[in-house]
Amino acid sequence: MSASAPQSPPDDDRTSFSKESLKRAFFDHLFYTIGKFPKISGKNDFYVALAHTIRDRSLHRWISSTAQYNRTAPRMVAYLSAEFLMGPHLGNHLINLGLADRVREALEELELDYNEILRQEEEPGLGNGGLGRLAACFLDSLATQQIPAFGYGIRYEYGIFFQAIIDGWQVEKTDKWLRYGNPWEIQRAEWAVEIKLGGHTEQYTDDAGHFRVRWVPEKTVVGVPYDSPIPGYHVNTTNTLRLWRAEATESFDFSVFNRGDYLGAVSKKVTSENLTKVLYPNDETTQGKELRLEQQYFFVSCSLQDMIRIHLVRGGSITTFHEKFAIQLNDTHPAIAIAELMRLLVDEHLLPWEQAWNITTRTFSYTNHTLLPEALERWPLPLFQRILPRHLEIIYEINARFLNDVRIHFLGDESRIARLSLIDETGERYVRMAHLACVGSHAINGVAELHSELLKKGVLKDFYEMWPEKFHNITNGVTPRRWLVLSNPRLTELVTRTIGDAWVTDLPRIRQIENHIDDESFRQAWRAVKRANKADLAALIQRRTGVQVNPDSMFDVLVKRIHEYKRQHLAVLHIVTLYHRLKSGRARDLQPRTFIFGGKAAPGYHMAKLMIKLITSVGDVINHDPDVHDLLKVVFIPNFNVTLGQCIYPAADLSEQISLAGKEASGTGNMKFAMNGALTIGTMDGANIELREQVGPENFFLFGHTAEEVQALRDAGYQPSDYYHSHSELRTCIDLIRSGFFSRGDAGLFRPLVDNLLYHDPYMLLADYQSYIECQDLVAQAYRDTDAWTRMSILNTARSGKFSSDRSIREYAEKIWKVDPVPVELYDESELEGSLRPHAMR
């Protein structure tokens, strides 16, 4: 890369970017941090030594950013998210600091394998899918755009589960991502906070005669922050990801131990630490629901107390809190923060209700990520009252005041009052968390143009009609630093050699490669990059699954969370269709394809797990059938995560984005694929619509019903069996699956899936099947023309500029947060000593 690196510090072994200093620092950490010398060091030792070497360079920028923020007290963004799917840190730091090439050279001179060392890093399993990866992309862009920000979340000890595939079934195993420690984090025990849970409330009158409420908890836990640096690309700004770990107030009861109750002596420690053990505990049980609500409250309370501490230490007044913090709620998981900030302001800082509410609503904004009503969080009232009794009282008060406004705004419309209420009164009563987020936020946004419009017409229609000025659209984006520069170095080198590197922080500039589309040597180089990436992925597939695939076949890829609405089983119906055509002699000139799947099903979601079993079972039959040779291969790569994504997106020829129109909020996988030159087959759903507009309809394979047509089908009384009876190929596919052909004669194995399709089909696979198959035939025809396909691939990358998370962050900053960039100058140690007041850091 030709762009200049961040401001260069003095030449010392902790901060210098010179190759010799990097080598000395590497050996220094190997010796003094790890306590080893090279001959007895393993690969992980080398990784940890290198991680500390690079973290030192980030720390200089991190502390300089801290000093800048403390001195100027700018308005800061606080991004509250239950997930942060960061991916490995080392590679990202090397790219953003401009050190990748230099470190590679230094390690080669030390006879160490750069790529092998990077592969040693355990990926932090702190997210499940798009929600957590979006949060990670946003943190990268916030720092790159030089906007002061925190990411706040939970330091899950085990994170999302490790997915193994055993006999074709998903098996969840513990993800021990912290088993070797985490060299990127720093514990900040001095900023720990106490969190109350359970108990009851007491009313009293204070000395000034004011009515007050005191929360008397059943138990108290401690939240301890762990900080990781988030560097911007080629700037000095380095922001903070602050994750909270739960600990007991007293880890060991000596008196209980002395009585011989050795387990009882540590029971409080075990119970408290369970709070942050696992991401998304199975909430099918009451205990699981309780733990999930406790997790959500725990991290937002920790975070809000932390923000207030920072604000007060910087000399602010509690009454100006909203002027210095813009808090973004990433979906409904952190929505309890609205009631918690009210509690802190009213009960702890003794502000009048009206003033506290004004501060709260001017502080929060809310991003909605779903159109599925069942995915909008709600909590049974008895459970909520048992865990958060004071917050339920506050929510009742918010609701009473809000519904008074509703009555005035919609005079005489009692049904609207019931729909808008924060409490769902139908059947078992619930607290509606999305409603709380809407009422307590000054801005509400969707994450794609279609999604935002459907929110206004659907799940949030009543809120839109009451407060249309609150609603915005900000289409999601992904960071090109990780998803192109780091993931696809071959393509990065080709693009940069052709047009320079300004596109890395201004992605719309990548459109300049379109000017080279008629250059045959450029197209040849483009194909060579894709072929090399496919060869790398083919080698990985063989290592992970034992299946040998042909890099010259079309790589048709569907990797994302396994869910019925994402319709992985529609892709399976296509595979079975092709297989049957081959076996019946009707497709001898079939374009060779490798179908690549990946993704995790929620542990309690049986239908999604059965979909994985169907994929693997179909693959087992096809991959071992000598009649199809290399024409068809089906692979399911287990444990899909960021690290795997970095290998898969650059190698894909075809990106499958086939959710039912009107169900996907946005999607970001579609953006990563297009950036890396994959063509998309997809419905008019989520950000697919904007992607198709950008790349051109002629470079996008569109199929399926629109959202309006889907609704019309549903209103007309959709009968999936009609499609089964009227389409012979569809009937043949379903009968083949139902017969037990792909399940070793067990006709009952896939019956729940088949019956659901034939008699319910809530996501209309059968209605979209024929359109999908015809569109896939067009894909195969297009792929035969290698040169034309290359041109379409180039155009997908060239026209992906809109989908950078840098653009998303600029829109949030301007429309919603009202924050400005704060450039950071590097400090030397003497300046830092004078600028950091005690306990004010970050």
Side-chain angles (χ1 to χ4, degrees):
M1 303 294 293
S2 61
S4 60
Q7 179 185 341
S8 186
D11 189 19
D12 70 77
D13 288 350
R14 282 201 180 273
T15 58
S16 170
F17 282 19
S18 75
K19 187 165 62 177
E20 293 309 313
S21 290
L22 288 165
K23 286 183 187 177
R24 288 194 298 269
F26 174 77
F27 284 117
D28 191 67
H29 277 295
L30 194 63
F31 190 88
Y32 288 106
T33 304
I34 302 172
K36 288 187 178 179
F37 54 91
K39 284 191 176 180
I40 65 166
S41 297
K43 294 175 184 177
N44 189 67
D45 299 319
F46 292 136
Y47 156 70
V48 173
L50 181 59
H52 279 284
T53 300
I54 303 308
R55 194 187 79 171
D56 286 347
R57 276 82 188 149
S58 285
L59 271 169
H60 191 197
R61 286 153 179 73
W62 198 12
I63 294 172
S64 296
S65 300
T66 294
Q68 183 88 21
Y69 302 158
N70 281 342
R71 192 177 72 252
T72 60
R75 181 169 167 84
M76 301 189 71
V77 175
Y79 200 80
L80 296 187
S81 181
E83 300 183 32
F84 283 97
L85 197 56
M86 300 303 297
H89 287 272
L90 178 55
N92 202 63
H93 277 250
L94 290 170
I95 293 296
N96 283 7
L97 291 172
L99 283 171
D101 291 340
R102 207 164 305 167
V103 167
R104 185 190 297 272
E105 291 172 12
L107 292 176
E108 284 176 357
E109 291 174 11
L110 298 174
E111 298 182 355
L112 293 171
D113 187 323
Y114 172 87
N115 291 319
E116 187 68 25
I117 288 178
L118 260 62
R119 282 196 288 268
Q120 299 311 304
E121 183 171 356
E122 294 277 353
E123 179 171 328
L126 303 177
N128 183 38
L131 186 81
R133 189 49 234 171
L134 180 76
C137 285
F138 279 4
L139 290 190
D140 177 88
S141 286
L142 281 161
T144 298
Q145 299 290 310
Q146 302 181 87
I147 294 173
F150 285 96
Y152 279 112
I154 299 177
R155 183 181 179 269
Y156 302 102
E157 185 175 343
Y158 296 116
I160 191 66
F161 60 87
F162 180 93
Q163 180 195 54
I165 300 297
I166 299 176
D167 191 27
W169 292 96
Q170 170 179 294
V171 175
E172 300 93 27
K173 297 189 175 183
T174 305
D175 177 18
K176 301 176 182 177
W177 74 278
L178 284 170
R179 61 186 141 185
Y180 300 124
N182 177 10
W184 299 100
E185 68 183 8
I186 296 176
Q187 183 185 28
R188 310 288 194 188
E190 69 274 24
W191 297 327
V193 295
E194 288 196 348
I195 305 299
K196 302 174 183 177
L197 293 164
H200 63 277
T201 62
E202 297 175 350
Q203 300 176 355
Y204 68 101
T205 303
D206 67 14
D207 294 340
H210 297 123
F211 172 80
R212 302 290 182 201
V213 178
R214 179 188 299 115
W215 181 9
V216 182
E218 178 187 5
K219 63 180 179 180
T220 301
V221 299
V222 174
V224 179
Y226 287 74
D227 290 356
S228 298
I230 307 297
Y233 179 80
H234 288 199
V235 294
N236 294 321
T237 299
T238 300
N239 288 327
T240 299
L241 172 62
R242 179 161 289 170
L243 303 176
W244 299 93
R245 177 179 184 268
E247 293 184 359
T249 52
E250 293 292 337
S251 296
F252 186 79
D253 192 322
F254 199 76
S255 62
V256 171
F257 181 83
N258 281 342
R259 293 200 301 270
D261 185 358
Y262 305 134
L263 292 177
V266 295
S267 62
K268 288 185 179 179
K269 172 181 170 64
V270 172
T271 302
S272 298
E273 292 181 359
N274 278 342
L275 255 181
T276 52
K277 284 287 183 190
V278 179
L279 170 68
Y280 294 156
N282 189 342
D283 60 1
E284 291 185 328
T285 65
T286 300
Q287 293 89 339
K289 286 186 174 68
E290 288 183 2
L291 180 55
R292 195 158 172 175
L293 178 57
E294 287 177 349
Q295 279 186 344
Q296 292 178 7
Y297 173 66
F298 167 80
F299 99 84
V300 300
S301 181
C302 289
S303 304
L304 286 168
Q305 290 185 61
D306 192 60
M307 285 179 249
I308 290 173
R309 175 189 63 79
I310 291 168
H311 179 58
L312 297 180
V313 165
R314 287 179 178 170
S317 162
I318 193 64
T319 59
T320 61
F321 178 75
H322 59 286
E323 297 175 9
K324 295 299 182 181
F325 278 95
I327 303 178
Q328 189 70 33
L329 304 174
N330 191 26
D331 215 1
T332 52
H333 307 120
I336 191 60
I338 289 166
E340 172 63 2
L341 183 56
M342 284 298 292
R343 184 190 73 81
L344 291 168
L345 295 176
V346 172
D347 293 356
E348 304 294 334
H349 293 275
L350 308 181
L351 294 186
W353 180 277
E354 292 78 7
Q355 186 177 19
W357 185 243
N358 179 58
I359 292 169
T360 297
T361 54
R362 293 171 71 181
T363 297
F364 286 106
S365 44
Y366 163 54
T367 300
N368 175 282
H369 284 282
T370 184
L371 290 164
L372 305 177
E374 64 271 21
L376 296 176
E377 272 194 330
R378 56 182 198 156
W379 296 106
L381 246 59
L383 180 148
F384 197 96
Q385 184 165 30
R386 186 163 64 250
I387 295 170
L388 300 172
R390 178 56 180 146
H391 296 77
L392 186 58
E393 294 174 353
I394 290 170
I395 288 170
Y396 281 151
E397 182 66 20
I398 293 171
N399 198 38
R401 293 170 183 249
F402 166 58
L403 292 182
N404 282 338
D405 293 340
V406 174
R407 290 185 180 94
I408 294 169
H409 198 279
F410 300 106
L411 191 64
D413 191 345
E414 291 300 316
S415 63
R416 196 181 297 259
I417 291 170
R419 293 198 305 269
L420 280 167
S421 174
L422 272 59
I423 308 299
D424 183 347
E425 304 282 358
T426 58
E428 185 182 3
R429 301 170 72 210
Y430 294 90
V431 180
R432 294 163 161 165
M433 301 308 289
H435 289 216
L436 177 62
C438 289
V439 173
S441 298
H442 66 85
I444 302 161
N445 74 279
V447 291
E449 289 173 4
L450 175 65
H451 172 236
S452 296
E453 288 306 308
L454 291 176
L455 281 180
K456 297 174 187 178
K457 297 174 184 176
V459 291
L460 299 182
K461 178 175 184 286
D462 292 307
F463 287 101
Y464 174 68
E465 291 181 353
M466 184 162 183
W467 293 310
E469 71 282 358
K470 278 192 180 186
F471 281 74
H472 304 266
N473 174 66
I474 300 182
T475 299
N476 283 342
V478 301
T479 169
R481 269 77 62 186
R482 182 175 290 273
W483 296 114
L484 260 180
V485 181
L486 178 60
S487 303
N488 201 341
R490 295 185 181 99
L491 188 59
T492 296
E493 193 276 331
L494 174 60
V495 171
T496 299
R497 187 174 74 237
T498 306
I499 64 170
D501 65 358
W503 61 271
V504 177
T505 52
D506 186 7
L507 192 59
R509 291 194 184 206
I510 205 170
R511 188 148 192 163
Q512 294 170 23
I513 64 171
E514 199 168 328
N515 298 330
H516 301 267
I517 200 167
D518 292 326
D519 181 341
E520 185 177 351
S521 64
F522 181 74
R523 297 197 305 276
Q524 287 177 347
W526 191 274
R527 285 193 291 274
V529 164
K530 181 64 75 172
R531 178 59 171 74
N533 290 338
K534 291 172 71 174
D536 285 350
L537 181 58
L540 183 148
I541 288 170
Q542 182 148 26
R543 289 196 306 271
R544 297 286 182 91
T545 69
V547 179
Q548 186 171 357
V549 302
N550 178 11
D552 293 317
S553 64
M554 182 202 300
F555 278 16
D556 182 334
V557 185
L558 208 175
V559 288
K560 55 182 65 195
R561 185 164 51 93
I562 308 295
H563 197 290
E564 287 173 275
Y565 91 81
K566 295 181 184 288
R567 304 203 296 188
Q568 285 91 349
H569 41 341
L570 178 58
V572 175
L573 291 179
H574 173 231
I575 296 168
V576 174
T577 299
L578 294 182
Y579 180 65
H580 185 264
R581 288 177 181 177
L582 276 169
K583 296 293 284 185
S584 58
R586 293 186 296 118
R588 295 192 181 279
D589 61 343
L590 186 77
Q591 176 65 45
R593 283 208 205 197
T594 298
F595 293 92
I596 300 168
F597 293 87
K600 296 178 180 179
Y605 190 176
H606 176 70
M607 196 67 81
K609 288 184 168 183
L610 195 56
M611 288 162 64
I612 293 175
K613 176 62 174 173
L614 177 62
I615 294 165
T616 57
S617 296
V618 169
D620 282 345
V621 171
I622 290 175
N623 297 342
H624 292 94
D625 188 336
D627 290 345
V628 302
H629 301 293
D630 282 337
L631 291 174
L632 289 183
K633 285 290 174 71
V634 181
V635 294
F636 188 98
I637 308 178
N639 202 46
F640 179 67
N641 56 13
V642 174
T643 305
L644 267 178
Q646 291 174 195
C647 302
I648 292 172
Y649 295 119
D653 291 308
L654 185 69
S655 159
E656 299 255 6
Q657 307 297 328
I658 60 177
S659 54
L660 178 65
K663 294 300 180 184
E664 184 73 81
S666 167
T668 54
N670 46 9
M671 304 170 188
K672 296 164 197 164
F673 279 114
M675 252 179 220
N676 283 278
L679 277 63
T680 304
I681 181 169
T683 54
M684 292 288 272
D685 195 28
N688 283 354
I689 297 171
E690 292 159 78
L691 180 61
R692 183 170 177 265
E693 289 172 356
Q694 293 296 310
V695 305
E698 69 280 8
N699 300 306
F700 185 105
F701 296 99
L702 177 67
F703 78 95
H705 292 82
T706 65
E708 292 78 14
E709 290 166 345
V710 166
Q711 189 58 50
L713 275 176
R714 192 169 284 121
D715 292 343
Y718 174 60
Q719 295 294 329
S721 58
D722 292 346
Y723 293 88
Y724 169 80
H725 291 296
S726 60
H727 293 294
S728 60
E729 273 200 314
L730 172 61
R731 188 166 61 252
T732 299
C733 285
I734 288 180
D735 288 350
L736 205 55
I737 295 169
R738 182 162 55 177
S739 70
F741 180 81
F742 295 107
S743 47
R744 300 173 185 171
D746 183 354
L749 179 60
F750 297 120
R751 181 174 294 164
L753 258 180
V754 171
D755 287 352
N756 191 44
L757 289 178
L758 289 176
Y759 306 119
H760 304 287
D761 195 16
Y763 302 109
M764 299 190 179
L765 273 76
L766 304 196
D768 275 353
Y769 167 84
Q770 190 62 35
S771 174
Y772 180 56
I773 296 300
E774 291 170 1
C775 192
Q776 284 283 17
D777 289 343
L778 292 176
V779 169
Q781 183 179 337
Y783 193 73
R784 292 180 191 281
D785 188 337
T786 303
D787 197 59
W789 186 277
T790 302
R791 288 171 180 270
M792 290 191 288
S793 174
I794 293 169
L795 290 174
N796 267 263
T797 298
R799 298 173 180 179
S800 64
K802 175 180 180 177
F803 303 106
S804 169
S805 50
D806 296 345
R807 187 266 314 150
S808 303
I809 288 301
R810 285 194 298 270
E811 291 184 11
Y812 274 106
E814 294 164 9
K815 293 181 182 179
I816 293 177
W817 299 332
K818 311 300 181 187
V819 295
D820 297 310
V822 178
V824 171
E825 294 293 325
L826 287 185
Y827 288 77
D828 63 33
E829 290 184 11
S830 61
E831 289 176 310
L832 286 169
E833 287 172 5
S835 64
L836 283 176
R837 288 172 286 169
H839 310 301
M841 189 167 131
R842 304 304 289 167

